[in-house]
PDB file of all heavy atoms in Angstrom:
ATOM      1  N   ASN F 225      -7.477  -3.597  32.967  1.00  0.00           N
ATOM      2  CA  ASN F 225      -7.021  -2.213  33.001  1.00  0.00           C
ATOM      3  C   ASN F 225      -5.824  -2.019  32.075  1.00  0.00           C
ATOM      4  O   ASN F 225      -5.755  -1.048  31.315  1.00  0.00           O
ATOM      5  CB  ASN F 225      -6.646  -1.837  34.436  1.00  0.00           C
ATOM      6  CG  ASN F 225      -6.484  -0.339  34.626  1.00  0.00           C
ATOM      7  OD1 ASN F 225      -7.391   0.431  34.349  1.00  0.00           O
ATOM      8  ND2 ASN F 225      -5.320   0.074  35.106  1.00  0.00           N
ATOM      9  N   SER F 226      -4.885  -2.962  32.119  1.00  0.00           N
ATOM     10  CA  SER F 226      -3.690  -2.870  31.270  1.00  0.00           C
ATOM     11  C   SER F 226      -4.052  -2.999  29.793  1.00  0.00           C
ATOM     12  O   SER F 226      -3.541  -2.250  28.957  1.00  0.00           O
ATOM     13  CB  SER F 226      -2.688  -3.957  31.671  1.00  0.00           C
ATOM     14  OG  SER F 226      -1.569  -3.963  30.826  1.00  0.00           O
ATOM     15  N   SER F 227      -4.926  -3.949  29.466  1.00  0.00           N
ATOM     16  CA  SER F 227      -5.322  -4.148  28.069  1.00  0.00           C
ATOM     17  C   SER F 227      -6.010  -2.921  27.511  1.00  0.00           C
ATOM     18  O   SER F 227      -5.736  -2.479  26.389  1.00  0.00           O
ATOM     19  CB  SER F 227      -6.253  -5.361  27.963  1.00  0.00           C
ATOM     20  OG  SER F 227      -5.614  -6.539  28.413  1.00  0.00           O
ATOM     21  N   SER F 228      -6.901  -2.333  28.299  1.00  0.00           N
ATOM     22  CA  SER F 228      -7.637  -1.154  27.850  1.00  0.00           C
ATOM     23  C   SER F 228      -6.704   0.039  27.674  1.00  0.00           C
ATOM     24  O   SER F 228      -6.784   0.768  26.677  1.00  0.00           O
ATOM     25  CB  SER F 228      -8.736  -0.827  28.868  1.00  0.00           C
ATOM     26  OG  SER F 228      -9.461   0.307  28.478  1.00  0.00           O
ATOM     27  N   TYR F 229      -5.786   0.237  28.627  1.00  0.00           N
ATOM     28  CA  TYR F 229      -4.870   1.381  28.557  1.00  0.00           C
ATOM     29  C   TYR F 229      -3.918   1.242  27.373  1.00  0.00           C
ATOM     30  O   TYR F 229      -3.689   2.205  26.628  1.00  0.00           O
ATOM     31  CB  TYR F 229      -4.075   1.488  29.858  1.00  0.00           C
ATOM     32  CG  TYR F 229      -3.171   2.702  29.915  1.00  0.00           C
ATOM     33  CD1 TYR F 229      -3.678   3.953  30.250  1.00  0.00           C
ATOM     34  CD2 TYR F 229      -1.821   2.604  29.621  1.00  0.00           C
ATOM     35  CE1 TYR F 229      -2.863   5.078  30.295  1.00  0.00           C
ATOM     36  CE2 TYR F 229      -0.989   3.713  29.664  1.00  0.00           C
ATOM     37  CZ  TYR F 229      -1.513   4.947  30.004  1.00  0.00           C
ATOM     38  OH  TYR F 229      -0.705   6.048  30.038  1.00  0.00           O
ATOM     39  N   SER F 230      -3.357   0.041  27.181  1.00  0.00           N
ATOM     40  CA  SER F 230      -2.417  -0.179  26.073  1.00  0.00           C
ATOM     41  C   SER F 230      -3.102   0.044  24.728  1.00  0.00           C
ATOM     42  O   SER F 230      -2.541   0.668  23.819  1.00  0.00           O
ATOM     43  CB  SER F 230      -1.834  -1.592  26.148  1.00  0.00           C
ATOM     44  OG  SER F 230      -1.123  -1.783  27.347  1.00  0.00           O
ATOM     45  N   SER F 231      -4.338  -0.466  24.603  1.00  0.00           N
ATOM     46  CA  SER F 231      -5.076  -0.299  23.349  1.00  0.00           C
ATOM     47  C   SER F 231      -5.425   1.165  23.112  1.00  0.00           C
ATOM     48  O   SER F 231      -5.399   1.644  21.974  1.00  0.00           O
ATOM     49  CB  SER F 231      -6.359  -1.143  23.374  1.00  0.00           C
ATOM     50  OG  SER F 231      -6.051  -2.519  23.513  1.00  0.00           O
ATOM     51  N   THR F 232      -5.745   1.892  24.184  1.00  0.00           N
ATOM     52  CA  THR F 232      -6.016   3.321  24.075  1.00  0.00           C
ATOM     53  C   THR F 232      -4.788   4.053  23.545  1.00  0.00           C
ATOM     54  O   THR F 232      -4.878   4.896  22.648  1.00  0.00           O
ATOM     55  CB  THR F 232      -6.417   3.896  25.447  1.00  0.00           C
ATOM     56  OG1 THR F 232      -7.627   3.265  25.890  1.00  0.00           O
ATOM     57  CG2 THR F 232      -6.624   5.399  25.378  1.00  0.00           C
ATOM     58  N   PHE F 233      -3.628   3.716  24.082  1.00  0.00           N
ATOM     59  CA  PHE F 233      -2.377   4.357  23.686  1.00  0.00           C
ATOM     60  C   PHE F 233      -2.066   4.085  22.215  1.00  0.00           C
ATOM     61  O   PHE F 233      -1.765   4.991  21.444  1.00  0.00           O
ATOM     62  CB  PHE F 233      -1.242   3.835  24.571  1.00  0.00           C
ATOM     63  CG  PHE F 233       0.070   4.531  24.366  1.00  0.00           C
ATOM     64  CD1 PHE F 233       0.391   5.658  25.081  1.00  0.00           C
ATOM     65  CD2 PHE F 233       0.972   4.057  23.433  1.00  0.00           C
ATOM     66  CE1 PHE F 233       1.605   6.307  24.892  1.00  0.00           C
ATOM     67  CE2 PHE F 233       2.182   4.685  23.225  1.00  0.00           C
ATOM     68  CZ  PHE F 233       2.501   5.818  23.955  1.00  0.00           C
ATOM     69  N   VAL F 234      -2.163   2.808  21.814  1.00  0.00           N
ATOM     70  CA  VAL F 234      -1.844   2.433  20.437  1.00  0.00           C
ATOM     71  C   VAL F 234      -2.836   3.044  19.454  1.00  0.00           C
ATOM     72  O   VAL F 234      -2.459   3.562  18.392  1.00  0.00           O
ATOM     73  CB  VAL F 234      -1.816   0.895  20.295  1.00  0.00           C
ATOM     74  CG1 VAL F 234      -1.671   0.491  18.831  1.00  0.00           C
ATOM     75  CG2 VAL F 234      -0.679   0.304  21.117  1.00  0.00           C
ATOM     76  N   LEU F 235      -4.127   3.001  19.805  1.00  0.00           N
ATOM     77  CA  LEU F 235      -5.164   3.530  18.916  1.00  0.00           C
ATOM     78  C   LEU F 235      -4.958   5.025  18.680  1.00  0.00           C
ATOM     79  O   LEU F 235      -5.078   5.513  17.549  1.00  0.00           O
ATOM     80  CB  LEU F 235      -6.543   3.269  19.524  1.00  0.00           C
ATOM     81  CG  LEU F 235      -7.765   3.458  18.623  1.00  0.00           C
ATOM     82  CD1 LEU F 235      -7.649   2.630  17.356  1.00  0.00           C
ATOM     83  CD2 LEU F 235      -9.037   3.088  19.379  1.00  0.00           C
ATOM     84  N   GLY F 236      -4.608   5.751  19.741  1.00  0.00           N
ATOM     85  CA  GLY F 236      -4.387   7.183  19.590  1.00  0.00           C
ATOM     86  C   GLY F 236      -3.187   7.502  18.709  1.00  0.00           C
ATOM     87  O   GLY F 236      -3.246   8.386  17.853  1.00  0.00           O
ATOM     88  N   THR F 237      -2.093   6.772  18.893  1.00  0.00           N
ATOM     89  CA  THR F 237      -0.891   7.030  18.093  1.00  0.00           C
ATOM     90  C   THR F 237      -1.110   6.678  16.626  1.00  0.00           C
ATOM     91  O   THR F 237      -0.489   7.276  15.735  1.00  0.00           O
ATOM     92  CB  THR F 237       0.303   6.228  18.639  1.00  0.00           C
ATOM     93  OG1 THR F 237      -0.022   4.835  18.696  1.00  0.00           O
ATOM     94  CG2 THR F 237       0.692   6.696  20.028  1.00  0.00           C
ATOM     95  N   GLU F 238      -1.992   5.721  16.342  1.00  0.00           N
ATOM     96  CA  GLU F 238      -2.234   5.326  14.958  1.00  0.00           C
ATOM     97  C   GLU F 238      -3.286   6.191  14.275  1.00  0.00           C
ATOM     98  O   GLU F 238      -3.279   6.319  13.047  1.00  0.00           O
ATOM     99  CB  GLU F 238      -2.648   3.855  14.899  1.00  0.00           C
ATOM    100  CG  GLU F 238      -1.519   2.901  15.271  1.00  0.00           C
ATOM    101  CD  GLU F 238      -1.882   1.444  15.116  1.00  0.00           C
ATOM    102  OE1 GLU F 238      -3.078   1.140  14.920  1.00  0.00           O
ATOM    103  OE2 GLU F 238      -0.977   0.602  15.182  1.00  0.00           O
ATOM    104  N   LEU F 239      -4.183   6.794  15.035  1.00  0.00           N
ATOM    105  CA  LEU F 239      -5.238   7.604  14.434  1.00  0.00           C
ATOM    106  C   LEU F 239      -4.819   9.056  14.222  1.00  0.00           C
ATOM    107  O   LEU F 239      -5.339   9.732  13.328  1.00  0.00           O
ATOM    108  CB  LEU F 239      -6.496   7.571  15.315  1.00  0.00           C
ATOM    109  CG  LEU F 239      -7.360   6.309  15.224  1.00  0.00           C
ATOM    110  CD1 LEU F 239      -8.400   6.304  16.332  1.00  0.00           C
ATOM    111  CD2 LEU F 239      -8.041   6.209  13.863  1.00  0.00           C
ATOM    112  N   LEU F 240      -3.885   9.545  15.026  1.00  0.00           N
ATOM    113  CA  LEU F 240      -3.515  10.959  14.975  1.00  0.00           C
ATOM    114  C   LEU F 240      -2.354  11.209  14.023  1.00  0.00           C
ATOM    115  O   LEU F 240      -1.551  10.330  13.751  1.00  0.00           O
ATOM    116  CB  LEU F 240      -3.148  11.455  16.375  1.00  0.00           C
ATOM    117  CG  LEU F 240      -4.297  11.442  17.397  1.00  0.00           C
ATOM    118  CD1 LEU F 240      -3.773  11.710  18.792  1.00  0.00           C
ATOM    119  CD2 LEU F 240      -5.370  12.459  17.022  1.00  0.00           C
ATOM    120  N   ALA F 241      -2.280  12.447  13.534  1.00  0.00           N
ATOM    121  CA  ALA F 241      -1.187  12.856  12.647  1.00  0.00           C
ATOM    122  C   ALA F 241       0.117  12.908  13.432  1.00  0.00           C
ATOM    123  O   ALA F 241       0.103  13.056  14.657  1.00  0.00           O
ATOM    124  CB  ALA F 241      -1.508  14.218  12.037  1.00  0.00           C
ATOM    125  N   PRO F 242       1.269  12.791  12.757  1.00  0.00           N
ATOM    126  CA  PRO F 242       2.566  12.732  13.454  1.00  0.00           C
ATOM    127  C   PRO F 242       2.790  13.849  14.459  1.00  0.00           C
ATOM    128  O   PRO F 242       3.318  13.616  15.543  1.00  0.00           O
ATOM    129  CB  PRO F 242       3.571  12.795  12.303  1.00  0.00           C
ATOM    130  CG  PRO F 242       2.841  12.215  11.136  1.00  0.00           C
ATOM    131  CD  PRO F 242       1.417  12.635  11.303  1.00  0.00           C
ATOM    132  N   ARG F 243       2.389  15.068  14.121  1.00  0.00           N
ATOM    133  CA  ARG F 243       2.648  16.201  15.012  1.00  0.00           C
ATOM    134  C   ARG F 243       1.935  16.059  16.345  1.00  0.00           C
ATOM    135  O   ARG F 243       2.494  16.327  17.410  1.00  0.00           O
ATOM    136  CB  ARG F 243       2.229  17.494  14.312  1.00  0.00           C
ATOM    137  CG  ARG F 243       2.424  18.748  15.150  1.00  0.00           C
ATOM    138  CD  ARG F 243       1.929  19.969  14.384  1.00  0.00           C
ATOM    139  NE  ARG F 243       1.959  21.167  15.203  1.00  0.00           N
ATOM    140  CZ  ARG F 243       1.468  22.340  14.822  1.00  0.00           C
ATOM    141  NH1 ARG F 243       0.902  22.459  13.625  1.00  0.00           N
ATOM    142  NH2 ARG F 243       1.531  23.389  15.628  1.00  0.00           N
ATOM    143  N   TYR F 244       0.665  15.621  16.309  1.00  0.00           N
ATOM    144  CA  TYR F 244      -0.123  15.497  17.532  1.00  0.00           C
ATOM    145  C   TYR F 244       0.002  14.115  18.160  1.00  0.00           C
ATOM    146  O   TYR F 244      -0.416  13.916  19.303  1.00  0.00           O
ATOM    147  CB  TYR F 244      -1.586  15.825  17.242  1.00  0.00           C
ATOM    148  CG  TYR F 244      -1.785  17.283  16.920  1.00  0.00           C
ATOM    149  CD1 TYR F 244      -1.789  17.734  15.608  1.00  0.00           C
ATOM    150  CD2 TYR F 244      -1.924  18.216  17.943  1.00  0.00           C
ATOM    151  CE1 TYR F 244      -1.941  19.079  15.308  1.00  0.00           C
ATOM    152  CE2 TYR F 244      -2.083  19.567  17.656  1.00  0.00           C
ATOM    153  CZ  TYR F 244      -2.091  19.994  16.341  1.00  0.00           C
ATOM    154  OH  TYR F 244      -2.226  21.339  16.065  1.00  0.00           O
ATOM    155  N   ARG F 245       0.559  13.191  17.433  1.00  0.00           N
ATOM    156  CA  ARG F 245       0.796  11.847  17.967  1.00  0.00           C
ATOM    157  C   ARG F 245       1.739  11.909  19.157  1.00  0.00           C
ATOM    158  O   ARG F 245       1.538  11.258  20.191  1.00  0.00           O
ATOM    159  CB  ARG F 245       1.383  10.972  16.857  1.00  0.00           C
ATOM    160  CG  ARG F 245       1.549   9.512  17.199  1.00  0.00           C
ATOM    161  CD  ARG F 245       2.155   8.795  16.006  1.00  0.00           C
ATOM    162  NE  ARG F 245       1.323   8.974  14.821  1.00  0.00           N
ATOM    163  CZ  ARG F 245       1.773   8.930  13.579  1.00  0.00           C
ATOM    164  NH1 ARG F 245       3.070   8.722  13.350  1.00  0.00           N
ATOM    165  NH2 ARG F 245       0.952   9.089  12.558  1.00  0.00           N
ATOM    166  N   LYS F 246       2.806  12.718  19.022  1.00  0.00           N
ATOM    167  CA  LYS F 246       3.783  12.838  20.106  1.00  0.00           C
ATOM    168  C   LYS F 246       3.165  13.518  21.326  1.00  0.00           C
ATOM    169  O   LYS F 246       3.415  13.121  22.467  1.00  0.00           O
ATOM    170  CB  LYS F 246       4.995  13.628  19.614  1.00  0.00           C
ATOM    171  CG  LYS F 246       6.132  13.707  20.615  1.00  0.00           C
ATOM    172  CD  LYS F 246       7.309  14.493  20.063  1.00  0.00           C
ATOM    173  CE  LYS F 246       7.958  13.779  18.904  1.00  0.00           C
ATOM    174  NZ  LYS F 246       9.196  14.469  18.446  1.00  0.00           N
ATOM    175  N   THR F 247       2.323  14.536  21.090  1.00  0.00           N
ATOM    176  CA  THR F 247       1.662  15.213  22.207  1.00  0.00           C
ATOM    177  C   THR F 247       0.720  14.264  22.932  1.00  0.00           C
ATOM    178  O   THR F 247       0.649  14.260  24.165  1.00  0.00           O
ATOM    179  CB  THR F 247       0.877  16.435  21.698  1.00  0.00           C
ATOM    180  OG1 THR F 247       1.778  17.316  21.015  1.00  0.00           O
ATOM    181  CG2 THR F 247       0.213  17.180  22.840  1.00  0.00           C
ATOM    182  N   PHE F 248      -0.001  13.456  22.178  1.00  0.00           N
ATOM    183  CA  PHE F 248      -0.919  12.490  22.780  1.00  0.00           C
ATOM    184  C   PHE F 248      -0.150  11.479  23.625  1.00  0.00           C
ATOM    185  O   PHE F 248      -0.545  11.163  24.757  1.00  0.00           O
ATOM    186  CB  PHE F 248      -1.696  11.762  21.673  1.00  0.00           C
ATOM    187  CG  PHE F 248      -2.543  10.616  22.179  1.00  0.00           C
ATOM    188  CD1 PHE F 248      -3.793  10.851  22.719  1.00  0.00           C
ATOM    189  CD2 PHE F 248      -2.090   9.308  22.092  1.00  0.00           C
ATOM    190  CE1 PHE F 248      -4.569   9.801  23.184  1.00  0.00           C
ATOM    191  CE2 PHE F 248      -2.854   8.254  22.553  1.00  0.00           C
ATOM    192  CZ  PHE F 248      -4.103   8.499  23.103  1.00  0.00           C
ATOM    193  N   ALA F 249       0.963  10.968  23.089  1.00  0.00           N
ATOM    194  CA  ALA F 249       1.708   9.904  23.759  1.00  0.00           C
ATOM    195  C   ALA F 249       2.453  10.398  24.992  1.00  0.00           C
ATOM    196  O   ALA F 249       2.565   9.669  25.987  1.00  0.00           O
ATOM    197  CB  ALA F 249       2.687   9.258  22.779  1.00  0.00           C
ATOM    198  N   THR F 250       2.975  11.632  24.945  1.00  0.00           N
ATOM    199  CA  THR F 250       3.789  12.111  26.063  1.00  0.00           C
ATOM    200  C   THR F 250       3.009  12.959  27.058  1.00  0.00           C
ATOM    201  O   THR F 250       3.421  13.077  28.211  1.00  0.00           O
ATOM    202  CB  THR F 250       4.970  12.959  25.538  1.00  0.00           C
ATOM    203  OG1 THR F 250       4.461  14.077  24.787  1.00  0.00           O
ATOM    204  CG2 THR F 250       5.885  12.136  24.655  1.00  0.00           C
ATOM    205  N   LEU F 251       1.884  13.539  26.635  1.00  0.00           N
ATOM    206  CA  LEU F 251       1.159  14.461  27.509  1.00  0.00           C
ATOM    207  C   LEU F 251      -0.304  14.078  27.693  1.00  0.00           C
ATOM    208  O   LEU F 251      -0.796  14.010  28.821  1.00  0.00           O
ATOM    209  CB  LEU F 251       1.260  15.879  26.942  1.00  0.00           C
ATOM    210  CG  LEU F 251       0.858  17.025  27.868  1.00  0.00           C
ATOM    211  CD1 LEU F 251       1.737  17.059  29.105  1.00  0.00           C
ATOM    212  CD2 LEU F 251       0.947  18.359  27.128  1.00  0.00           C
ATOM    213  N   GLY F 252      -1.000  13.790  26.594  1.00  0.00           N
ATOM    214  CA  GLY F 252      -2.447  13.579  26.647  1.00  0.00           C
ATOM    215  C   GLY F 252      -2.884  12.454  27.565  1.00  0.00           C
ATOM    216  O   GLY F 252      -3.605  12.674  28.553  1.00  0.00           O
TER     217      GLY F 252
END
Side-chain angles (χ1 to χ4, degrees):
N225 194 56
S226 176
S227 300
S228 180
Y229 184 81
S230 299
S231 299
T232 298
F233 186 89
V234 172
L235 193 55
T237 55
E238 292 184 349
L239 282 169
L240 296 170
R243 179 182 174 186
Y244 291 94
R245 186 181 303 153
K246 185 179 294 186
T247 302
F248 172 82
T250 59
L251 194 61

